[in-house]
Amino acid sequence: MTCQRQIILEELGKVTSHPTADEVYQMVRRRLPRISLGTVYRNLEVLSQHGLIQKLELGGTLRRFDGNVDSHYHIRCIHCGRVDDLPVVQPLDEIRGRVQSQSDYRILSCCLVFEGVCPDCSRHGGSSN
Amino acid sequence: MTCQRQIILEELGKVTSHPTADEVYQMVRRRLPRISLGTVYRNLEVLSQHGLIQKLELGGTLRRFDGNVDSHYHIRCIHCGRVDDLPVVQPLDEIRGRVQSQSDYRILSCCLVFEGVCPDCSRHGGSSN
DNA sequence: TTTGCTGCAAACAATTTGCAAACCG
DNA sequence: CGGTTTGCAAATTGTTTGCAGCAAA
């Protein structure tokens, strides 16, 4: 656990915004101005493989990262790209168990992803990215 | 509906393999040797916006396309990247309704994505891509 | 001294775009 | 004709990699 890795983890823990790799880079750079984007990518990868953060691949172009490793749902705004957490209305483990019994894959994980329009974009007619 | 667009749609309807854009390009090229990859991308986009096909963003690097537009689950093998359909153990509309009542997003769609190891990769110890 | 990590820059892969010609209505 | 779509090639975007120097064990 290098200093860079530690700080990346800390910064991710501070926010609930599901930042992209580049956003993490910007956040971390305030504390480590000389860190490189490559290092950020490498450490995000290592951290997620150790289960300390979650790598989110929710569609849209960008990969995002989440300091909250508990299993939960996400929703992405198709207008602005913002990603939020959703209340869990049913444990995914339950669905996963039922699917597992019907599939000959060995299931390792599952995620439930919603797409929609966030409150801000609904209000403003949803301009921009 | 141009000739190219028609053929792309037809070819997608023939398979259940969730091909990538490039795989669609290879399929279509057998019938239209002079079609370009750019045209394939453009038409896949148009077709999915008109709800004639489904664009899948299941994680992993590649975007995939599905001629089956009914709402269903998918599973992706983390070893070989193969994508299969799964038996639906609970309608997504039901979960979606429950989430909608708790969220201030306007929900447009949702998808349930599983990750695991496919039977082939399980057997062979799961080499390769 | 070996091992792993960094910053940097170049490489990559998937997708998108600009453009002139071809096509369609 | 006017708008759309095409093939082609070049550009863009997000991410990964090679490498030489550093730091820690």
Side-chain angles (χ1 to χ4, degrees):
Chain A
M1 181 64 79
T2 63
C3 162
Q4 284 89 335
R5 194 168 297 170
Q6 177 67 42
I7 289 185
I8 288 171
L9 182 57
E10 281 174 24
E11 291 297 316
L12 250 182
K14 286 185 192 169
V15 298
T16 58
S17 58
H18 312 88
T20 62
D22 198 73
E23 288 165 349
V24 172
Y25 173 54
Q26 301 305 335
M27 290 158 54
V28 169
R29 214 139 70 115
R30 296 201 293 266
R31 292 173 62 187
L32 289 177
R34 298 195 49 75
I35 198 173
S36 77
L37 183 56
T39 298
V40 171
Y41 271 103
R42 277 181 292 228
N43 280 316
L44 287 170
E45 186 59 33
V46 171
L47 288 169
S48 80
Q49 291 199 347
H50 287 63
L52 295 168
I53 66 172
Q54 233 187 309
K55 191 195 321 187
L56 304 180
E57 298 181 319
L58 306 176
T61 21
L62 308 192
R63 184 170 301 175
R64 293 173 174 275
F65 296 87
D66 193 342
N68 173 7
V69 294
D70 298 333
S71 158
H72 58 287
Y73 313 159
H74 291 105
I75 187 163
R76 181 171 50 86
C77 176
I78 59 170
H79 280 128
C80 67
R82 168 178 152 192
V83 171
D84 278 295
D85 294 328
L86 281 173
V88 173
V89 299
Q90 175 174 17
L92 286 176
D93 287 348
E94 185 188 328
I95 299 178
R96 175 174 162 176
R98 281 195 251 163
V99 169
Q100 179 65 85
S101 69
Q102 310 242 347
S103 172
D104 43 8
Y105 272 66
R106 178 158 50 86
I107 296 178
L108 297 175
S109 69
C110 74
C111 69
L112 183 51
V113 183
F114 293 77
E115 249 181 32
V117 184
C118 75
D120 288 354
C121 288
S122 284
R123 255 194 297 283
H124 310 136
S127 56
S128 88
N129 172 18
Chain B
M1 181 64 79
T2 63
C3 161
Q4 286 88 335
R5 197 168 293 170
Q6 177 67 43
I7 290 185
I8 288 170
L9 182 57
E10 282 173 23
E11 292 297 316
L12 250 182
K14 286 185 191 168
V15 298
T16 57
S17 59
H18 312 89
T20 62
D22 198 73
E23 287 165 348
V24 173
Y25 173 55
Q26 302 305 336
M27 290 157 54
V28 169
R29 214 139 69 114
R30 296 200 293 266
R31 292 173 63 187
L32 289 177
R34 298 196 48 75
I35 198 172
S36 77
L37 184 55
T39 299
V40 171
Y41 271 103
R42 277 181 292 229
N43 281 316
L44 288 170
E45 186 60 32
V46 171
L47 288 168
S48 79
Q49 291 198 347
H50 286 64
L52 296 168
I53 65 173
Q54 232 186 312
K55 193 198 316 190
L56 305 180
E57 298 181 319
L58 306 177
T61 21
L62 308 192
R63 184 171 300 174
R64 292 173 173 276
F65 297 87
D66 193 341
N68 172 7
V69 294
D70 298 333
S71 158
H72 57 288
Y73 312 158
H74 291 105
I75 187 163
R76 180 170 50 85
C77 176
I78 59 170
H79 280 127
C80 67
R82 168 178 153 191
V83 171
D84 278 295
D85 294 328
L86 282 173
V88 173
V89 299
Q90 175 172 16
L92 285 175
D93 286 347
E94 186 188 326
I95 301 177
R96 174 174 162 176
R98 282 196 247 164
V99 169
Q100 180 64 86
S101 69
Q102 310 243 347
S103 173
D104 44 8
Y105 272 66
R106 178 158 50 85
I107 296 178
L108 298 175
S109 69
C110 74
C111 69
L112 183 50
V113 184
F114 293 77
E115 249 181 33
V117 184
C118 75
D120 288 353
C121 288
S122 284
R123 255 194 296 284
H124 309 136
S127 57
S128 88
N129 161 40

